Amino acid sequence: MISSAILAFGVVVGGYLLGDGLRRSREADRAVTVRGVAEKEVTADLATWTIAYSATAPDLASAQASVDRNSQDIRDFFGGLGFAPDALQPTGVNVSTSTDNGLTRFTVRQRMALRTTDIKRAQDAVRRQFDLVRRGVLLEEGSGMAYTYTQLNKIKPPMIAEATRDARRSAEQFAKDSGTGVGGIKSATQGYFEVTARDGDSGGGWGVSDTPFKKVRVVTTIEFYLR
C-alpha cells in the first residue's frame, strides 16, 4: 500500500511538473518585437572650411604670384575675424596647363583649410565670405563650411536608455490591448546613430552653407517577453 501511494504521488508530481514545464515553454515563446526611438538636438563643436581657389596666366610665375596674393588675402580675412594664424593651413596645390589657339596657359590651384572649435566665429566667417570675392579671391566649387559634432560617445548611453524606454512603452500598449503583460527583454538590436541637420538644411558644397545645429537619432529594435 505504501509503495502504491508513493508511486501515485510520483505520477501526480511528475504530471504537474510536465504540465508546468509545457506552460512555461509556451509562455517563453510569447513575445512582441517593437522599435524605440530617441532624438536629441545638439550643436556642432568643430568647424572645417576647405577653401579652393585658382589663377590662370600665360606663364607659371604670374599664375603663382596671383595665387600667392590670394593666399595672403585669405589669411588677412581670417586674421581680421580674430582667428589664430595656425587655424588656417594649406592642404594642397596643383598646376595644370592648357592650350588655346597655340597659346599655352598655366593654372595654379591652391587649397587652404580652416579648422576651429569657435563655432560662432566660423558662422561669422561664412556670413562674410563675399568679402573674399571682393578682394579678388574666386572661390571654386568645393569651398564650403562643414560643421561636425564630435561628442557622440558621451550621449550614446542616455540615448540608448531613452530608446529602450520608448520601446517598452510601445510594448506595454500592445500588451494592454491584448490583455497580457510585459516581461524582460528577450533580444535587442541597436541601430546606428544618425546625425543630420536639425532643420533639414543642406550642407557642404559650393554656395551652400552647412548648419551647426544638428539632430542625433537612434532606433533600437527590442523583443520583449509577454506574460
Side-chain angles (χ1 to χ4, degrees):
M1 293 292 292
I2 295 176
S3 298
S4 298
I6 293 175
L7 178 60
F9 178 76
V11 171
V12 171
V13 172
Y16 171 78
L17 293 176
L18 177 61
D20 186 63
L22 291 174
R23 179 182 63 81
R24 290 176 178 270
S25 176
R26 288 195 297 270
E27 288 182 350
D29 290 335
R30 298 173 61 192
V32 60
T33 300
V34 293
R35 290 183 178 179
V37 179
E39 293 183 341
K40 183 179 179 63
E41 292 184 2
V42 298
T43 300
D45 54 358
L46 175 65
T48 54
W49 189 2
T50 299
I51 302 170
Y53 52 102
S54 65
T56 301
D59 59 273
L60 180 59
S62 297
Q64 183 63 61
S66 181
V67 165
D68 289 343
R69 287 192 297 272
N70 287 164
S71 297
Q72 188 58 51
D73 287 336
I74 292 171
R75 292 188 182 279
D76 291 343
F77 169 74
F78 284 104
L81 292 175
F83 288 98
D86 60 357
L88 194 67
Q89 297 292 333
T91 60
V93 63
N94 173 265
V95 179
S96 62
T97 60
S98 61
T99 302
D100 184 16
N101 293 326
L103 298 176
T104 300
R105 298 180 65 82
F106 294 83
T107 299
V108 177
R109 286 185 170 84
Q110 174 79 48
R111 289 182 298 278
M112 300 187 76
L114 173 76
R115 181 183 176 89
T116 180
T117 57
D118 192 334
I119 302 301
K120 290 185 178 180
R121 202 181 299 274
Q123 288 179 281
D124 188 33
V126 172
R127 285 191 291 266
R128 298 176 58 180
Q129 62 181 304
F130 283 103
D131 288 350
L132 284 173
V133 177
R134 295 186 185 97
R135 292 170 182 251
V137 181
L138 301 181
L139 301 179
E140 294 189 340
E141 185 174 357
S143 300
M145 183 75 78
Y147 296 98
T148 306
Y149 181 69
T150 66
Q151 304 298 316
L152 191 58
N153 286 336
K154 290 185 178 180
I155 65 174
K156 276 184 177 181
M159 287 193 65
I160 292 173
E162 174 56 34
T164 301
R165 288 191 293 268
D166 183 61
R168 180 172 286 277
R169 286 192 291 267
S170 297
E172 288 172 345
Q173 183 61 51
F174 177 88
K176 179 181 178 181
D177 294 341
S178 59
T180 58
V182 178
I185 294 177
K186 183 178 181 180
S187 64
T189 302
Q190 175 196 312
Y192 68 93
F193 280 78
E194 182 183 25
V195 182
T196 59
R198 183 191 64 187
D199 303 315
D201 301 281
S202 300
W206 174 82
V208 180
S209 178
D210 192 10
T211 171
F213 306 111
K214 306 293 185 180
K215 181 172 65 176
V216 183
R217 187 174 192 267
V218 64
V219 178
T220 59
T221 302
I222 303 179
E223 188 176 14
F224 290 96
Y225 287 109
L226 294 179
R227 57 174 182 243

